[in-house]
Structures are given as structure tokens and as C-alpha cells.
Amino acid sequence: TGEEWYRPLTLYQYMSVASQTGGKTLRPMCASTADGIAKYVSKPGDTTTGMVYVDISALPELYGMKMDSDGAFFGAAVPMEKVIDFLQSNSAQVPAYKVLASHIKYIACTQIRSVASWAGNVMFTRLNPQFQSDMVTILAAAGATFDVLSQDSKVQSMNITDLLA
């Protein structure tokens, strides 16, 4: 079917794969949990032929979590359940985090949230605008911004509206 699969261990390796797709569609993935719902929201005729699948679950740069005076920061590969735990553990400093964490608990079940990344949910929504993502709603309400690495290795900061465009 022309599919390719990669599992880079560094961000440099990922960028190398991403820059050499040869016109094929690049699909970064962590746990591939979106496959369970894709069949309900995909458009007729959608195909995976010629895709370049890249498992980003081994990239340490995408697993970070931290909090500073600007807010909370989560790497793209951080599972939703870890986001919930982090928000709850820091809710004494920022009471709104408790509310955000409780809303994220409505997304999927614990088993899925334990492996599915928060960013995967957002990017699934970007690819399937008809999918109504609670994560996107939560992040939009919180005024979240996203640091996105472009193929020329530049980081661009954007809001949810720009990210989904």
C-alpha cells in the first residue's frame, strides 16, 4: 500500500524523516487511539495509502511537563491522564487547574487517556473538523497557546484557532 513506518529516538531523527516524505502524507502518532473513532468521522474515500507513519512516543523532548509563572506546559506526547495528574497536583497554586482536570476526565475512558496524548486529540480535530473535541474546547477556554516546530526547525507559537486552520 506504499505505507512507511518509523520510530525515531531523537527530535533530529524525526525532523529528518519529516523532511524526506517524498510527497507522502506524514502522520505523527503516539498510541494510535484515534483509529478507534476515525471510522466514524472519516470522509468517504479517505485512504491511508502512501502514508508515512511516525511513532513519536519515544521522543523525550515531547514528554516534558512543567509549570512556571506563564502557566503549565505539556509536551505533545504527554498522555491525557498525566495532564490530569499534573493539573490536579498544581491546583493549590492555580485553582482553575482543578476545573480543567475534571473536564479532561470526560474525554474517553481511563485506559484510553492513559496512552492517548492530549496533542493527538487536538491534531485529530485539525484533520477531522467535524470531530467535536472536548480537549479543543477546554484548551480554547483556557486560552492555551501551542509551540509548533515547522519543517525548517523554527518554533511558531499560535492559538487554537490558528492551529486548527
Side-chain angles (χ1 to χ4, degrees):
T1 60
E3 297 170 349
E4 297 177 37
W5 294 80
Y6 297 92
R7 188 168 197 243
L9 301 176
T10 67
L11 199 53
Y12 176 80
Q13 289 175 340
Y14 171 80
M15 294 303 291
S16 177
V17 170
S19 68
Q20 299 175 27
T21 60
K24 294 181 179 180
T25 302
L26 180 70
R27 182 175 174 206
M29 52 192 260
C30 281
S32 201
T33 56
D35 289 351
I37 57 170
K39 59 188 169 215
Y40 300 111
V41 297
S42 295
K43 299 172 216 81
D46 279 357
T47 180
T48 59
T49 302
M51 298 283 281
V52 176
Y53 294 95
V54 183
D55 179 357
I56 62 171
S57 67
L59 299 176
E61 298 93 340
L62 301 183
Y63 267 98
M65 295 186 294
K66 70 175 185 171
M67 189 171 119
D68 65 20
S69 60
D70 292 327
F73 298 85
F74 302 99
V78 174
M80 286 187 264
E81 200 64 31
K82 291 209 181 284
V83 171
I84 292 168
D85 293 343
F86 185 89
L87 292 171
Q88 288 175 331
S89 68
N90 288 286
S91 64
Q93 294 137 304
V94 183
Y97 287 177
K98 184 176 181 179
V99 176
L100 294 173
S102 77
H103 282 291
I104 297 171
K105 287 182 180 181
Y106 287 109
I107 301 171
C109 62
T110 304
Q111 295 89 336
I112 299 295
R113 288 193 310 264
S114 293
V115 294
S117 71
W118 69 269
N121 183 285
V122 172
M123 297 312 289
F124 183 81
T125 304
R126 184 172 191 247
L127 293 173
N128 300 280
Q130 68 278 21
F131 176 66
Q132 298 177 10
S133 168
D134 291 322
M135 181 63 76
V136 167
T137 303
I138 292 163
L139 294 172
T145 57
F146 304 86
D147 290 339
V148 179
L149 185 63
S150 65
Q151 285 191 344
D152 59 357
S153 298
K154 293 182 181 171
V155 176
Q156 180 181 1
S157 191
M158 55 182 64
N159 63 32
I160 192 78
T161 304
D162 294 335
L163 182 66
L164 295 178

